[in-house]
Structures are given as C-alpha cells and as structure tokens.
C-alpha cells in the first residue's frame, strides 16, 4: 500500500510539473484541479492508514522527504481540495465518470472532516455536514436548483457489478 500510495502521489506531482509549462487555458485549469484532487486523495489514504507521512508535493526535488505530522498533512489535503473545487466539473455523467468532480472533492472533505478529531485532535463536524450538504444539494448544471444526481441504489451489490458505470447513482467517484 505504501508503494502504491506514493507512486500515485509522485505521478500526480510529475503531471503537475509538466502541466505547469502548458499554455493557460480552461482545460489546463480543470486538469490541474483534477490532479491536485487526486494527489490529495492519495495523501488522505496514506494519512488514514499510516498517520504521519512525508509530504512530497514538489516533483524533482533531490532532498529526501521527512516524516510530516498529521496536522500538516491534514492542512495540505484540505488546501489542495478546497482550492481545486471551483475548477472541477459539476457534471455527473459518462463524461465525468472516473474523474474528480466537485462532488467527489466534497466527499473527500467530508471524510477528512468527520475524522478530524482523530487526525488532528479538533472536531470539524460542522464542516463535514457542510460538505455532505453540498453533495445532497448538488446543482450539476449551475441553475441554482438541486438536481439530486446521487441516491442510494435499491440493489447494493450492483455497485460491484462489472458494468457499474455512471448509471449507478450511488457512486460519487
């Protein structure tokens, strides 16, 4: 798991370094937000499993990383996700399936906040509720009304079917 997690983190950081040289565009902005969110997800998994883990956000550095306290890792994850949300897509469809969306980012924040007391010794339950409410009240087309793109499925096992694509409304990411 350690090798898998840091491989993901390093691939994200490598892609961010390459993307930084691309010309400015909406596509670049959205892609950087998606990669930052994915890197935050990998860091979340690593922190959740191992606690204090090295923060290595800069790709290409030859300095050996040092163990970082959970408070710093928590803050890094929170910053990466909250800064990325505005550039992530609101769309919930086959086009956005498997890509970080605003709702996936909110779900990641909800998981981070609901466990904040364990990670950093501070309760963040109100923030967890706000992130969950953002998903519940998801406005996928930006018209100010909740579209309810997510719902519990009547057949729980269908989530694990071979063909569990975007038609399964319970899958946020």
């Amino acid at each position: 798991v350690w090798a898998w997690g840091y491989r993901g983190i390093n691939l994200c950081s490598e892609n961010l370094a390459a993307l930084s040289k691309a010309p400015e565009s909406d596509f670049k902005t959205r892609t950087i937000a998606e990669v930052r969110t994915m890197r935050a997800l990998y860091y979340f998994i690593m922190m959740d499993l191992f606690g204090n883990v090295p923060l290595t956000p800069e790709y290409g550095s030859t300095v050996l990383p040092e163990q970082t306290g959970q408070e710093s890792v928590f803050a890094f994850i929170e910053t990466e996700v909250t800064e990325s949300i505005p550039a992530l897509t609101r769309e919930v469809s086959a086009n956005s399936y498997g890509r970080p969306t605003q709702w996936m980012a909110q779900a990641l924040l909800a998981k981070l906040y609901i466990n904040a007391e364990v990670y950093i010794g501070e309760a963040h339950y109100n923030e967890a509720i706000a992130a969950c409410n953002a998903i519940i009240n998801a406005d996928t087309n930006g018209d100010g009304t909740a579209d309810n793109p997510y719902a519990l499925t009547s057949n729980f096992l269908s989530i694990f079917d071979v063909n569990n694509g975007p038609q399964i409304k319970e899958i946020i990411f």
Side-chain angles (χ1 to χ4, degrees):
V1 172
W2 185 270
W4 168 85
Y6 272 96
R7 173 93 171 120
I9 289 166
N10 288 331
L11 285 172
C12 289
S13 294
E14 181 180 9
N15 281 297
L16 288 169
L19 285 166
S20 70
K21 298 173 182 141
E24 294 303 318
S25 69
D26 290 341
F27 179 79
K28 175 185 175 179
T29 301
R30 185 181 69 243
T31 303
I32 287 173
E34 290 175 354
V35 175
R36 286 178 73 191
T37 303
M38 286 303 302
R39 182 170 65 179
L41 175 63
Y42 281 111
Y43 270 117
F44 172 80
I45 292 167
M46 297 301 286
M47 180 185 68
D48 191 54
L49 292 173
F50 299 106
N52 298 340
V53 295
L55 268 180
T56 57
E58 297 304 319
Y59 179 75
S61 173
T62 58
V63 177
L64 289 175
E66 295 182 14
Q67 190 179 69
T68 306
Q70 280 185 288
E71 297 83 9
S72 295
V73 179
F74 182 99
F76 179 80
I77 294 166
E78 182 180 35
T79 299
E80 287 288 280
V81 176
T82 55
E83 288 180 359
S84 296
I85 285 174
L88 294 172
T89 186
R90 303 169 77 82
E91 180 182 359
V92 177
S93 70
N95 291 334
S96 63
Y97 184 73
R99 291 178 31 215
T101 64
Q102 288 188 12
W103 323 120
M104 174 272 188
Q106 292 289 354
L108 178 54
L109 284 176
K111 289 178 68 128
L112 183 70
Y113 292 142
I114 199 94
N115 293 301
E117 212 164 358
V118 172
Y119 299 144
I120 62 172
E122 297 174 9
H124 283 263
Y125 297 119
N126 290 333
E127 292 89 340
I129 291 168
C132 290
N133 283 337
I135 298 165
I136 292 167
N137 299 314
D139 173 15
T140 60
N141 56 23
D143 67 359
T145 60
D147 302 307
N148 301 320
Y150 302 107
L152 296 177
T153 183
S154 60
N155 179 4
F156 176 74
L157 293 177
S158 68
I159 298 169
F160 305 99
D161 282 348
V162 173
N163 185 17
N164 67 348
Q167 75 278 3
I168 305 294
K169 299 298 181 196
E170 192 166 329
I171 298 175
I172 293 178
F173 180 61

